[in-house]
Amino acid sequence: MQVSVESTSALERRMTVGVPAERIETEVNKRLQQTARRAKVPGFRPGKVPMSVIRQRYEAAARQEALGDLIQETFYEAVVEQKLNPAGAPSVEPKVFEKEKGLEYVATFEVFPEFQVAGFDGIKIERLQAEVADADLDNMLEILRKQNTRFEAVDRAAQNDDQVNIDFVGKIDGEAFAGGSAKGTLLVLGSGRMIPGFEEGLVGAKAGEERVLNVTFPEDYQNLDLAGKAAEFTVTVNSVAEPKLPELNEEFFALFGVKESTLEGFRTEVRKNMERELRQAIKSKVKNQVMEGLVESNPIEVPKALVSNEVNRLRVQAVQQFGGNIKPDQLPAELFEEQAKRRVVLGLIVAELVKQHELKADEARVREMIEEMASAYQEPEQVVAWYYKNDQQLNEVRSVVLEEQVVDTVLQKANVTDKQVSYEDAVKPAEAPQAA
């Protein structure tokens, strides 16, 4: 087998492979012999058909099959021989095929980039330090109470934070429009759920009252047919209900699966959850900074095939998330290309870093992570046992731990500063970077 390789770009390779005629004929004959043992030809017993007849009937198909298989086999042999690492399937173009001279074909493909991960000392990391103060705990209890607010009917005018039950009909230029009418809608005044002026226009209304609201849809309204247009809503208030916060009692605690019967015990459980959330938030923000730093410090070119595969994965995820009667390939690739390229770059950098530093998931940390996740459930031992019986889930945890070890490796040499902040600031989602 003869092999020559040409670099047509930083990552693209054009490999010419010559397969000798003898090898092809050997493969063709092997297939014909297999066919002869099972072929059913009128006038001959199975297994007794002359090879000349077998060749006449089946040689063309056997040769076609042999050539296809040999291209796959020899491509693999050639890239191993040339120490190439293809990033995706090749584009194969048969160049020459003559029975006496053999086969020559050209395979064009991309290879994975070769690089060393570096620049750790130039990565700046701001590591947040925070704790759960009593005031944070008190605030969380109020949030939990508000999330479980009950509404009780009252015989008075509606005010902000009240829930009203309404029927409404919307019109533009005197004509009703699609989606502009509803009956029995529950609306909390002041929630900002409706367009500006709608909720404000119902403050002071009583049950049984009808109000006409003149409002304007925002210029950036999601429905472009309505954006910026003036509308008139005729609203009938069916009932008014005021909010009632639940008491901090055993019944309330049970809503969260907490068996504690005392406020102090419930506060302890909530604090544990807040501390767990705090640790995860700080860890996540550090990890994001590390990954951002690795990408900036290691600019690499990535194979188009990998980016294309990642675009397709993102398309599928988008369809699964938003639903609708749309196929993934109907979504424009351009929507996902930037994100896909970044994910591929990061994946290659992390994989190379793992290889350079010979990192393997620390099983003790895997166990610790599983136990921490399990502690949020009523029967943590069962959750731990479930993970260790489920290889897929266990390997996902191992991947997360390995990423944490990558982060730790970078932090050992990165420029790290600690910053004391409040609990609220620590758990607040990081702002997305502004586009240049």
Side-chain angles (χ1 to χ4, degrees), residues 77-115:
E77 293 169 8
V79 295
V80 171
E81 174 190 307
Q82 298 294 318
K83 297 181 173 58
L84 297 172
N85 189 7
S91 170
V92 176
E93 176 190 352
K95 196 173 181 183
V96 175
F97 172 63
E98 294 180 16
K99 189 172 180 180
E100 297 77 16
K101 295 182 180 180
L103 168 69
E104 184 177 273
Y105 67 87
V106 176
T108 305
F109 55 94
E110 293 175 295
V111 295
F112 282 92
E114 295 182 2
F115 63 99

Side-chain angles (χ1 to χ4, degrees), residues 259-275:
K259 296 179 180 179
E260 291 289 344
S261 58
T262 65
L263 177 57
E264 196 57 40
F266 183 68
R267 287 174 66 89
T268 299
E269 289 298 317
V270 174
R271 185 186 289 275
K272 285 181 184 177
N273 287 332
M274 293 175 69
E275 289 172 344

Side-chain angles (χ1 to χ4, degrees), residues 315-331:
R315 280 168 157 170
V316 171
Q317 289 176 9
V319 170
Q320 290 173 342
Q321 182 177 355
F322 299 109
N325 297 321
I326 188 171
K327 295 180 180 178
D329 58 7
Q330 291 178 297
L331 296 173

Side-chain angles (χ1 to χ4, degrees), residues 166-185 187 193-195 198 211-213 215 217 221-223 225-226 229-236:
I166 58 173
D167 302 335
F168 60 87
V169 176
K171 294 182 180 180
I172 294 178
D173 296 330
E175 296 290 333
F177 58 92
S181 303
K183 287 184 176 294
T185 295
L187 174 66
R193 183 179 141 199
M194 306 296 276
I195 62 175
F198 192 101
R211 288 197 172 184
V212 177
L213 310 178
V215 295
F217 283 93
Y221 194 64
Q222 58 188 7
N223 185 337
D225 292 334
L226 302 177
K229 292 186 177 180
E232 179 185 272
F233 285 90
T234 301
V235 183
T236 300

